[in-house]
Amino acid sequence: MDPIVARPKPFLVQLQAGRTYYWCRCGRSKKQPFCDGSHAGTGFEPLKHIAQVEGEEVLFCGCKHSGTAPFCDGAHTNLPGGSPEDDPDSATNRAVPLVTSNDALALLDGGCYVFSPSRAPMITRGTLRYCTAISGELGALYQTQLYVQADAGASPIMSFGDRHVILFISAGEGSVTISGRRFEVTATDGVYVRPGEALQLVHVGGAPLEAFVSACPLGEITWLDEMPQNFDATFPLRTASVDEQQRTAMGPRYFQCLVDKSVGSNLITQFIGHIPQSKAAPHRHLYEEAIIVLAGEGCMWTETRKARVQAGDVIFLPRKQEHSLQATTSRGIDVVGVMYPGDNPSINY
Ligand code: FES
């Protein structure tokens, strides 16, 4: 017998340390997500969970199909009703004003914003031009993100101290040297740099090598005169490429994790994904996210505002902020997401 889908999305619960929770596995309880004894005679038993961390916020599975029960693993997004859409032309949505900006930032609700590197002043250092897309000053709690362009030759050597660093190569080809170890890279590759290591972009010519460089938690860039030779060889695999075989479906969308635990990045996760022409129903995540728009056009919605997005833009999405990213044309939108804390972009509530 299959469990009943109590509802095709999870329940947000703040835990009390030491308390025992009995998660309803059968889906029949009237006290979701917890057991009320309704499983009697079904063969199902509730799942016991003892909370360890006071005040921790978790998402208990409501669909009863999670592979990581009692917590949501995003399985609900592939069940009927689990990836609801919203009508961008409804009377309510038509009343939402479009935010426009002459500079690089379009501010939405709750600290969410759209940043357009193409309109931002760039700082030049050696062969590198860069600007800051996400930082503590701009409201982030966890992530710093720079957009960088590298011209021919070797860039200055960058360090973010003891932070975890993830790069997404958005254009061009060349290599990234990580603390003395060189990796060939091309557009759409992800790169992981371990805490304490330094990095250098080496561009082979042609159009500039472009990348989004994320440091977590909140990193400050420093410039080194010499490349340290402290490559952490216990994690030899540092680049990840797009591989259609590794795509995970998420309703009508799909994603592939590029940099995640599988290469040693247990603090911050990077994925690449596609959104077909649609507007998802407003939802939230428990992680802070940077969304890089790679291709396509769309609109980012929060409760009372919306802003256009296009290829090259970065959306900063605070933890728990209600939002919806709409792809407005038939080609859809390709995105890269960088998320903390979390490792699964299909978990929403
Ligand atoms: S609610 Fe069941 S997997 Fe998300």
Side-chain angles (χ1 to χ4, degrees), residues 7-10 60-66 71-77:
R7 72 171 193 181
K9 63 177 184 176
F60 279 103
C61 169
C63 75
K64 314 303 172 186
H65 285 69
S66 174
F71 305 118
C72 172
D73 72 350
H76 67 271
T77 61

Side-chain angles (χ1 to χ4, degrees), residues 222-236:
T222 55
W223 306 95
L224 305 183
D225 294 331
E226 282 183 25
M227 175 64 78
Q229 301 297 309
N230 62 341
F231 182 81
D232 184 350
T234 52
F235 296 91

Side-chain angles (χ1 to χ4, degrees), residues 6-315:
R7 72 171 193 181
K9 63 177 184 176
F11 295 84
L12 176 65
V13 176
Q14 189 164 34
L15 301 177
Q16 293 172 21
R19 185 172 161 186
T20 301
Y21 298 82
Y22 290 93
W23 173 73
C24 165
R25 206 192 292 258
C26 70
R28 286 166 172 75
S29 171
K30 298 285 184 288
K31 285 173 35 184
Q32 292 296 333
F34 304 118
C35 175
D36 71 352
S38 299
H39 59 275
T42 64
F44 286 103
E45 290 291 332
L47 183 59
K48 180 177 169 181
H49 175 73
I50 302 172
Q52 305 293 327
V53 181
E54 178 62 31
E56 185 182 9
E57 292 178 310
V58 298
L59 293 171
F60 279 103
C61 169
C63 75
K64 314 303 172 186
H65 285 69
S66 174
T68 58
F71 305 118
C72 172
D73 72 350
H76 67 271
T77 61
N78 291 312
L79 293 174
S83 292
E85 293 190 2
D86 191 21
D87 177 6
D89 294 318
S90 70
T92 308
N93 283 336
R94 277 208 309 273
V96 174
L98 183 69
V99 175
T100 55
S101 172
N102 289 328
D103 62 19
L105 270 188
L107 295 173
L108 298 168
D109 294 298
C112 181
Y113 62 79
V114 177
F115 177 83
S116 302
S118 58
R119 287 206 289 270
M122 302 287 276
I123 299 167
T124 300
R125 189 175 181 103
T127 64
L128 214 58
R129 288 185 300 281
Y130 69 97
C131 60
T132 301
I134 296 173
S135 66
E137 289 74 42
L138 289 169
L141 294 178
Y142 305 110
Q143 304 189 34
T144 298
Q145 188 183 82
L146 307 181
Y147 165 69
V148 305
Q149 295 178 337
D151 283 332
S155 78
I157 300 164
M158 293 169 261
S159 165
F160 290 87
D162 61 358
R163 303 312 198 238
H164 293 253
V165 179
I166 286 180
L167 282 72
F168 179 76
I169 308 297
S170 53
E173 60 183 307
S175 64
V176 178
T177 303
I178 303 173
S179 284
R181 185 84 58 101
R182 181 174 159 167
F183 297 86
E184 304 299 319
V185 292
T186 189
T188 73
D189 284 349
V191 181
Y192 175 49
V193 181
R194 299 273 305 158
E197 295 175 336
L199 70 138
Q200 181 178 45
L201 299 174
V202 183
H203 177 38
V204 293
L209 184 63
E210 299 176 34
F212 291 85
V213 183
S214 303
C216 184
L218 295 179
E220 286 280 322
I221 193 167
T222 55
W223 306 95
L224 305 183
D225 294 331
E226 282 183 25
M227 175 64 78
Q229 301 297 309
N230 62 341
F231 182 81
D232 184 350
T234 52
F235 296 91
L237 196 65
R238 299 304 187 84
T239 62
S241 300
V242 172
D243 176 0
E244 292 182 12
Q245 304 300 316
Q246 293 186 42
R247 281 180 185 167
T248 300
M250 195 174 104
R253 306 174 172 206
Y254 60 75
F255 69 90
Q256 177 204 336
C257 285
L258 288 174
V259 175
D260 63 5
K261 284 183 220 154
S262 65
V263 293
S265 180
N266 54 11
L267 202 63
I268 182 165
T269 299
Q270 178 197 64
F271 65 90
I272 188 166
H274 178 76
I275 301 169
Q277 185 174 18
S278 61
K279 178 183 185 298
H283 59 277
R284 304 167 194 263
H285 304 287
L286 283 182
Y287 50 80
E288 180 181 278
E289 187 175 17
I291 305 168
I292 303 159
V293 180
L294 300 180
E297 293 170 24
C299 193
M300 182 67 177
W301 301 66
T302 52
E303 294 95 328
T304 70
R305 297 164 186 226
K306 64 183 178 185
R308 291 208 174 91
V309 297
Q310 61 184 8
D313 288 345
V314 174
I315 301 163

